[in-house]
């Protein structure tokens, strides 16, 4: 209200009428008594609205949680995964087969994270479980690593301890306790989105619309039902809570210099606390986020007043401030990395450099990211799906209006113009662009840039898109701005449009998508992967417990979870030495001699190596992006198949290892003996001597 009071005072001093500008705000205050206290009727209405809105928020959160849990159950038939007769015969117990199938449903790094939860539960005590994670010698062969330092698995530790101490073991299996917790966090996520939209618009109807959009756009807003243990499914609900809390903080009476500064300090403190909890993980210290926060605080100290002078002078100061922050960020980051000798994230910068056209690369790790669809540009069909629910259209409408308001306010602040017409426009735009709305505008623009450039980041943007679009459609300020712009403003029209548009949208969503959602909930499928189950059971029954197994990152995560055997490599790709080790293990799919491959694998203590036909004869990617092609390019060899090769690439002296080893030639059999085979996998035991 201070913003309105200031604007009203300015207009009175200039002899200008204020009825049109503030009549909607005065109408909202008609129940306020002369002593500043709110009338009893207004208090009752607010309490009723808070009660109803809060109940709806909690109900929608719980419904979303049940919805995604049901989809997961229906998709995998998780509670009663099918075993065929042959599979049952290969298992010592039927329960063992069912457990293996449930566990291999946690694909790629999901299985790796869940394995630490399982490991903590299997330990004789909590202390022994923690000791096993801090001094882990099973995740990477011939190495002892601190899992709590290298990976963010405190969630699994906390859940395992909670499961141990709660009296629920007789009623709930550990795997259900784990997945229900993740699905429960979806309730928190939806409630946080709901509350953020409510805070921005002033009506819980906005939160209802945000939640509906989140659910109807589930394909693009979450993937929790099939990638349960991923770190994003733990992080995004709490990140949404953080955005809601900051939106609540950014009310009109805040002191911008004081509160914003505090946000940087709190954020920096939080990151450093995470660093301490992860045993001073050097990659966190070397993150750009820490460097950016430090740089902003330093720049604000050096350049305190940017509001003096004319427009050009202020623009120059702003440009200098941005340049100073960016340069300081790079300098601080490079300084930290040199001091700590950090190279953990170098592959990311190589990937970004190649992605945005700053030169091609033959780096194996960078190309591995470049060839994955998840790290490519956001597919155009995403916008078609978002438009089908009207979300994208509403989002563009609100974004355009907020961007115009932000541009006007920014120009007026920088120019310092005091003429009547410019002051008039600034008053309206300032009313529209409240601090909370400005903060969320900044967020949605940054999230959008991330999502457009990298598809995997879309889950940040699309969920926030639901909040931003619903806020705009239910906002008094936004519709007031529109109606005044077309000279159709009246308080009655404003009230009707503010509620009618979101209600019509909700009715449309209910009519068009609810039947499909009901059909989806009734559709039953099942998870069926007998080859992988057979492989895991063979490993458990026919290899020593201390056997070291080599293979693809994705498969080995499942091997660790299902069998507990020692791995040569795994999917947590944030360590330079591990990336180099993975590249070396993958030489089984390159054109290398049996002697070279044997020597490489034995250097990691390997006893068994698993070869996958889906990688050796890969067809999922086009030529140049198949794993065997990436290895050929990195090794300087020409690729298989028709097509061009770079002129300096040469033909290899050896055939492709994964193909040639199947011929059982003596030059291979003297090093490798096949001990298991099915339609998908081939396991070879390495000779103990050359």
């Amino acid at each position: 209200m201070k913003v309105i009071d200031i604007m009203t005072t300015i207009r009175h001093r200039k002899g200008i009428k204020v009825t049109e500008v503030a009549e909607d705000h005065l109408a909202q205050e008609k129940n306020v008594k002369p002593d500043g206290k709110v009338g009893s009727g207004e208090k009752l209405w607010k309490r009723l609205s808070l009660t109803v809105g809060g109940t709806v928020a909690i109900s929608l959160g719980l419904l979303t949680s049940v919805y995604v849990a049901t989809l997961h159950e229906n998709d995998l038939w998780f509670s009663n995964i099918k075993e065929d007769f042959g599979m049952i015969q290969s298992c010592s117990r039927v329960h063992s087969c069912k457990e293996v199938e449930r566990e291999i449903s946690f694909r790629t790094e999901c299985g790796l994270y869940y394995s630490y939860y399982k490991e903590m539960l299997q330990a004789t005590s909590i202390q022994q479980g923690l000791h096993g994670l801090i001094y882990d010698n099973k995740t990477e062969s011939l190495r002892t690593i601190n899992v709590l330092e290298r990976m963010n698995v405190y969630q699994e530790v906390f859940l395992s301890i909670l499961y141990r101490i709660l009296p629920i073991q007789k009623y709930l299996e550990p795997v259900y306790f784990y997945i229900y917790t993740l699905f429960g966090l979806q309730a928190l996520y939806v409630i946080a989105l709901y509350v953020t939209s409510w805070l921005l618009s002033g009506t819980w109807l906005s939160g209802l619309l945000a939640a509906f959009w989140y659910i109807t756009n589930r394909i693009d807003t979450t993937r929790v039902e099939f990638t349960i243990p991923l770190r994003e499914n733990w992080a995004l609900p709490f990140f949404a809570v953080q955005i809601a809390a900051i939106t609540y903080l950014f009310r009109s009476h805040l002191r911008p210099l004081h509160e914003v500064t505090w946000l940087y300090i709190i954020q920096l403190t939080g990151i450093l606390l995470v660093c301490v909890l992860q045993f001073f993980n050097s990659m966190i210290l070397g993150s750009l986020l820490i460097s950016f926060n430090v740089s902003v605080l330093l720049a604000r100290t050096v350049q305190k007043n940017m509001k003096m002078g004319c427009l050009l002078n202020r623009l120059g100061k702003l440009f200098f401030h941005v340049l100073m922050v960016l340069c300081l960020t790079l300098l601080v980051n490079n300084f930290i990395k040199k001091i700590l000798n950090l190279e953990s994230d170098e592959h990311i910068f190589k990937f970004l450099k190649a992605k945005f056209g700053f030169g091609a690369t033959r780096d194996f790790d960078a190309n591995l990211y470049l060839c994955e669809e998840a790290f490519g540009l956001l597919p155009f069909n995403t916008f078609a799906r978002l438009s089908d629910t009207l979300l994208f259209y509403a989002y563009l409408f609100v974004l355009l209006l907020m961007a115009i308001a932000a541009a006007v306010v920014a120009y007026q602040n920088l120019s310092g113009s005091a003429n009547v017409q410019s002051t008039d426009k600034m008053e309206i735009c300032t009313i529209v662009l409240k601090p909370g709305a400005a903060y969320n505008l900044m967020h949605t623009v940054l999230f959008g840039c991330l999502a457009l450039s990298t598809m995997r980041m879309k889950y940040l943007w699309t969920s926030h898109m639901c909040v931003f679009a619903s806020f705009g459609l239910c906002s008094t300020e936004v519709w007031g701005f529109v109606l005044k712009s077309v000279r159709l403003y009246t308080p009655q029209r404003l009230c009707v449009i503010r509620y009618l548009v979101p209600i019509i949208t909700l009715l449309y969503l209910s009519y068009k998508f609810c039947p499909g959602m009901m059909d989806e909930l009734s559709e039953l499928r099942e998870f069926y992967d007998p080859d992988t189950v057979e492989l895991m059971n063979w490993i458990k029954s026919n290899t020593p417990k201390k056997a070291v197994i080599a293979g693809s990152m994705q498969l080995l995560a499942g091997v660790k979870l299902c069998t507990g055997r020692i791995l040569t490599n795994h999917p947590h790709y944030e360590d330079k030495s591990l990336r180099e080790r993975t590249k070396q293990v993958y030489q089984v799919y390159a054109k290398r001699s049996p002697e070279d491959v044997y020597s490489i694998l034995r250097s990691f203590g390997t006893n068994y190596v698993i070869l996958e036909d889906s990688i050796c004869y890969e067809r999922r990617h086009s030529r140049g992006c198949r794993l065997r092609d990436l290895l050929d390019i990195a090794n300087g060899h020409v690729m298989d198949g028709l097509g061009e090769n770079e002129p300096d690439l040469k033909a290899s002296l050896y055939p492709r290892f994964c193909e040639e080893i199947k011929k059982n030639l003596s030059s291979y059999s003297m090093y490798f003996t096949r001990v298991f085979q099915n339609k998908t996998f081939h396991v070879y035991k390495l000779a103990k001597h050359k």
Side-chain angles (χ1 to χ4, degrees), residues 124-169:
T124 56
S125 66
I126 294 173
Q127 291 79 2
Q128 188 198 36
L130 290 171
H131 185 273
L133 294 182
I134 296 172
Y135 301 98
D136 180 279
N137 54 16
K138 292 184 177 181
T139 302
E140 296 175 19
S141 60
L142 305 183
R143 285 183 189 166
T144 298
I145 66 170
N146 185 341
V147 173
L148 295 180
E149 176 195 353
R150 284 272 297 275
M151 305 177 201
N152 181 11
V153 294
Y154 272 102
Q155 300 92 315
E156 281 71 21
V157 171
F158 174 75
L159 273 192
S160 64
I161 295 173
L162 203 60
Y163 185 79
R164 278 175 173 269
I165 62 177
L166 292 176
I168 57 174
Q169 289 87 348

Side-chain angles (χ1 to χ4, degrees), residues 389-535:
T389 62
L390 305 181
L391 172 59
F392 191 59
Y393 299 129
Y395 176 77
L396 288 180
F397 167 71
V398 178
L399 182 64
L400 178 63
L401 292 178
M402 298 302 292
I404 292 171
V408 171
V409 172
Y411 175 78
Q412 295 296 340
N413 281 330
L414 287 170
S415 65
S417 177
N419 62 70
V420 173
Q421 188 175 1
S422 63
T423 303
D424 205 8
K425 290 179 181 177
M426 186 177 176
E427 288 177 22
I428 298 173
C429 292
T430 303
I431 292 169
V432 174
L433 195 72
K434 290 181 178 178
Y439 165 73
N440 280 274
L441 173 64
M442 177 188 70
H443 252 307
T444 199
V445 170
L446 293 176
F447 289 165
C449 292
L450 279 173
L452 291 171
S453 64
T454 307
M455 188 189 80
R456 195 169 186 176
M457 296 295 179
K458 74 175 180 178
Y459 301 103
L460 278 170
W461 187 38
T462 49
S463 59
H464 194 264
M465 189 187 287
C466 300
V467 171
F468 201 74
S470 61
F471 137 69
L473 292 191
C474 299
S475 170
T476 301
E477 292 81 14
V478 169
W479 284 116
F481 179 73
V482 172
L483 291 172
K484 286 170 187 174
S485 300
V486 295
R487 301 181 183 277
L488 292 175
Y489 176 84
T490 64
Q492 294 76 18
R493 282 199 187 112
L494 175 63
C495 187
V496 169
I497 291 177
R498 183 194 180 195
Y499 291 107
L500 187 61
V501 171
I503 288 172
I504 291 174
T505 307
L506 284 167
L507 290 173
Y508 168 78
L509 293 175
S510 301
Y511 173 76
K512 185 168 184 180
F513 295 99
C514 280
M517 291 168 66
M518 293 299 105
D519 291 340
E520 194 177 29
L521 288 172
S522 62
E523 185 180 353
L524 300 177
R525 292 181 292 272
E526 62 177 314
F527 179 76
Y528 187 64
D529 189 357
D531 288 351
T532 304
V533 173
E534 185 184 12
L535 171 67

